[in-house]
Amino acid sequence: MPRDIPPLAEVRRITEKKRDAWWTVMLVDPVATPLVRWTARYTRATPNQLTWGAFLVGLGSAACFAQGDWRWLLLGAVLYHVSFIFDCMDGKLARLTGTGSVFGAWLDFVFDRIRVLVCAVALMGGQYARTDDVLYLWLALAVASLDALRYIDSLEIFKIRHGMRKQIKARMRAARKAENQAELAFMEDLLRENPEADLETDRDTVAPLEPVAPREPVAAQEATAALEATAASVSAPAAPVPAPAARRPAVVDLHQEFRRRFPWWVRCRNFLQRHRIRAHLISGIEFQMGVFIIGPAVDAVVATTVVSGVLLLVFELAIIYKLLLSTRDFTRTINSFETAEARVPATTSVSS
C-alpha cells in the first residue's frame, strides 16, 4: 500500500537545501529527489539503509578502480556517482519522513571518510600496479590528507563561528533586558534564508535585513535615548505615551569587512544564491568528484587530481582569510558592547 507522500514540488521544498554544492544541485538533486519520493512512497527503506547502500556501492567503485584498466576506471566512476546519489538520498529521506537520528548522521560521516580513503588507495594503487610510477602513491596520500584537512578545517571554523555568535548573543541579552526589545539576528543567516536578497542593488529586498543602527552600539543608543527623553520631560508638558512600536531584530554582520574588500564577490554570491548554489565552489564534494569521477572517466587521473587538489586548497585558504576578517568584525562588535556598557552608568547618574 503506497504511503501518502506530497507531490514532487513539495518534496523538493522539504528535502533540498537552500544552498548546496553546484555538483549536487546540477547533477545529483534532479535524480535523487524523485528517487527519494518514490522510495518513501513505495518502500520501507530507512535513511541508515541508504547510508549502508551508498557505502557498499562505494566499495564496489573502489574494486573497479583497483583493476587499473580504463574500462574499469569508467565503471568505477559511474559507481562512485551512484554511491554519492545514495549518500544524498539518506539525508533527504530523513527530512521527508522525519526518521533522522544522531547515530545516522555519525554513520554517514564515518562511511564518507572511509569511502574516500578506500577509493583513493584503490585508484592510485591500481595505477601504480599498472605503471610502476611512485607518483601515484604520493597522490593517494595527498587525496586522503586533503580530504581530512578539509573536514577538520570545516569543523574548527564552525566551532569558532559558533563561539563568536555565543559571545555576541550573551552580550546582547545583557544589554537588552526590557521586554519590548528586539531580538538578535546575524546577517549571514538572513541571507541564507532570503536568497532573493541582493545586497548591492535591490534596496527593497535588503531593507528588512539591515541593522537597526549598524554603526552605534545598541546599549549606547538606549542610554542616549533615555537621556533625551529625560531632558524633554523637563522642558515640555506631559503628553500621551504612544504604544511601543514593534522593532526589527538588531542585525550583526560578521562578514562586513570581507564584503567591503571584495564587492565583486557579492555580485557572484547573489547570482549563485538565486540558483541555490553556495559560493564555496570547490569544496570536499567537488574535490571528490574531480578525483573519483572526472579523472577516471577521461583517463587523466594525475592531472585532475592535481588540479582538484590545488583548487580545493585555494578555496580553503580563501575561507580561512574570510574567517580572519570575520574575527576582526567580531572584535569590533564586542568592543562596541564594552564601550556602550561604560557609557550607561554615566548616563544613569545624569538622569537621576
Side-chain angles (χ1 to χ4, degrees):
M1 185 72 178
R3 286 191 286 184
D4 186 17
I5 300 297
L8 182 58
E10 180 66 10
V11 172
R12 291 188 188 279
R13 186 191 68 80
I14 296 172
T15 63
E16 294 181 353
K17 299 177 182 177
K18 290 188 176 182
R19 290 192 307 174
D20 213 334
W22 64 265
W23 186 281
T24 302
V25 172
M26 299 174 63
L27 300 175
V28 176
D29 280 351
V31 178
T33 306
L35 282 178
V36 164
R37 183 178 185 272
W38 183 91
T39 301
R41 183 174 174 83
Y42 294 105
T43 75
R44 297 293 175 179
T46 66
N48 285 353
Q49 289 173 343
L50 290 180
T51 302
W52 274 100
F55 179 65
L56 294 176
V57 175
L59 294 182
S61 173
C64 294
F65 288 151
Q67 305 305 312
D69 182 77
W70 177 75
R71 290 169 295 183
W72 286 103
L73 293 182
L74 181 59
L75 179 57
V78 172
L79 288 179
Y80 198 91
H81 187 63
V82 172
S83 173
F84 188 69
I85 290 176
F86 282 139
D87 189 32
C88 291
M89 286 176 61
D90 57 6
K92 295 179 186 297
L93 184 63
R95 290 189 287 272
L96 180 61
T97 60
T99 55
S101 66
V102 175
F103 178 78
W106 174 86
L107 188 70
D108 183 48
F109 177 82
V110 171
F111 277 1
D112 284 350
R113 307 284 64 75
I114 295 176
R115 178 181 60 185
V116 171
L117 177 61
V118 172
C119 285
V121 172
L123 176 62
M124 302 308 172
Q127 295 305 297
Y128 173 73
R130 185 172 65 90
T131 63
D132 287 330
D133 189 347
V134 73
L135 174 63
Y136 288 104
L137 301 182
W138 288 108
L139 287 178
L141 178 62
V143 171
S145 300
L146 287 173
D147 181 74
L149 172 65
R150 158 66 187 146
Y151 282 93
I152 292 173
D153 185 44
S154 176
L155 178 61
E156 289 302 313
I157 288 178
F158 173 81
K159 289 167 59 178
I160 291 173
R161 287 178 174 171
H162 178 74
M164 291 192 297
R165 284 167 167 250
K166 189 174 180 180
Q167 290 187 52
I168 291 175
K169 287 180 179 180
R171 290 299 186 99
M172 180 65 73
R173 283 193 296 268
R176 295 194 156 190
K177 296 180 180 179
E179 293 182 357
N180 63 340
Q181 296 301 320
E183 296 296 330
L184 174 69
F186 289 92
M187 179 65 77
E188 57 186 304
D189 292 339
L190 297 176
L191 293 175
R192 185 179 295 111
E193 297 298 324
N194 297 270
E196 72 280 359
D198 190 328
L199 285 175
E200 186 179 49
T201 60
D202 191 349
R203 305 306 304 170
D204 292 335
T205 61
V206 176
L209 310 183
E210 290 181 330
V212 175
R215 288 298 180 185
E216 188 175 1
V218 175
Q221 297 172 38
E222 296 174 352
T224 304
L227 181 59
E228 292 174 350
T230 302
S233 65
V234 174
S235 60
V241 179
R247 298 180 60 185
R248 297 196 308 272
V251 178
V252 174
D253 187 359
L254 293 181
H255 297 294
Q256 183 175 353
E257 185 170 345
F258 179 83
R259 282 193 284 268
R260 180 178 60 81
R261 294 194 180 198
F262 304 99
W264 56 269
W265 183 246
V266 175
R267 293 190 292 270
C268 295
R269 174 254 166 213
N270 290 337
F271 174 80
L272 296 171
Q273 186 84 349
R274 294 190 189 99
H275 294 81
R276 209 167 58 82
I277 298 174
R278 65 188 180 195
H280 189 190
L281 294 177
I282 306 297
S283 64
I285 292 175
E286 289 80 13
F287 172 68
Q288 291 180 42
M289 303 311 141
V291 174
F292 300 122
I293 295 181
I294 298 177
V298 300
D299 198 17
V301 173
V302 173
T304 54
T305 300
V306 171
V307 171
S308 299
V310 170
L311 290 176
L312 178 67
L313 285 176
V314 168
F315 273 83
E316 289 303 305
L317 290 174
I319 288 179
I320 294 172
Y321 180 66
K322 186 178 180 181
L323 176 66
L324 171 63
L325 298 183
S326 181
T327 58
R328 294 176 181 176
D329 288 324
F330 165 75
T331 301
R332 283 192 290 268
T333 302
I334 293 296
N335 289 341
S336 72
F337 280 109
E338 294 175 351
T339 302
E341 290 168 358
R343 291 179 183 177
V344 171
T347 304
T348 303
S349 62
V350 170
S351 61
S352 62

